[in-house]
Amino acid sequence: MLIEAAKDVLGQGGPDASLEAVARKAGVGIGTLYRNFPDRESLFHAVFSRELELLAEQAERIQSTNDPVGALRGWLHDNVAIVETKRGMLGALSVVLSEETKKSFAEKSGRISTALNVLLTRAAEAGQMREGVTADDVLQTMYALCYAREPGPDWRPQVLKLLDIFIDGLAR
């Protein structure tokens, strides 16, 4: 409950967002928030870690789909929502990460890359997607499209439109 509320509030307000607003949104007192997350950075890291875990689980679920183009499109659209949240938290996420946090993020990122590579390889072998495309190619393109645009009310629809064009170019 706290992490979901933090995702919403911190994603919109960034590093300066009120932790009191997070507690209110979660329906708890500020003391409860601080008992679970002693500082703003630990809350930001918990939100980002949860989002990465959900992306990794989803990537692992879709790797054996019969509709790889649709599955990749849906996964990338979900990823854009996480980038949108992360953009709002960049100041806090840029603090020095502990070795344990770096290891956790790297493990989840590795799971994502592995699952996407399986999906892309299977799709290429079935003639549904272009051959030779890797998870790195897809992720770099997605992040480039996300960060090429300034945040604003039209940011997400514009990024999703460009991602759809990219995915359509991968499909056969």
Side-chain angles (χ1 to χ4, degrees):
M1 178 81 74
L2 273 170
I3 291 177
E4 192 61 36
K7 175 186 167 199
D8 293 343
V9 173
L10 300 174
Q12 294 171 8
D16 298 325
S18 161
L19 294 184
E20 288 81 7
V22 172
R24 266 193 314 278
K25 184 160 183 78
V28 300
I30 191 69
T32 300
L33 185 143
Y34 279 114
R35 273 192 297 283
N36 287 282
F37 304 100
D39 54 41
R40 182 179 300 271
E41 287 77 20
S42 65
L43 180 59
F44 282 24
H45 291 299
V47 170
F48 190 59
S49 180
R50 178 178 170 268
E51 296 301 308
L52 272 180
E53 178 63 31
L54 292 174
L55 280 177
E57 289 171 1
Q58 184 182 5
E60 290 165 347
R61 277 194 306 273
I62 68 169
Q63 69 184 345
S64 61
T65 182
N66 291 328
D67 179 16
V69 175
L72 181 62
R73 185 182 314 273
W75 186 86
L76 286 171
H77 282 215
D78 289 346
N79 205 327
V80 167
I82 291 170
V83 170
E84 186 174 36
T85 299
K86 182 182 168 197
R87 278 185 86 138
M89 298 188 300
L90 280 178
L93 288 172
S94 66
V95 298
V96 176
L97 300 174
S98 71
E99 287 305 312
E100 182 179 324
T101 301
K102 286 180 188 176
K103 185 177 177 182
S104 173
F105 288 175
E107 181 268 329
K108 290 173 181 129
S109 294
R111 285 174 50 205
I112 289 168
S113 289
T114 298
L116 287 181
N117 279 324
V118 169
L119 172 76
L120 294 165
T121 299
R122 287 186 69 247
E125 288 171 352
Q128 296 174 318
M129 276 190 186
R130 176 184 304 261
E131 291 182 12
V133 178
T134 67
D136 269 355
D137 299 331
V138 170
L139 292 171
Q140 285 179 14
T141 300
M142 184 206 61
Y143 291 126
L145 293 173
C146 286
Y147 288 100
R149 301 253 179 220
E150 289 298 317
D154 294 333
W155 178 85
R156 191 171 185 179
Q158 290 173 348
V159 171
L160 293 177
K161 177 184 174 186
L162 293 172
L163 266 176
D164 285 344
I165 292 168
F166 168 68
I167 295 165
D168 290 346
L170 294 178
R172 296 224 172 218

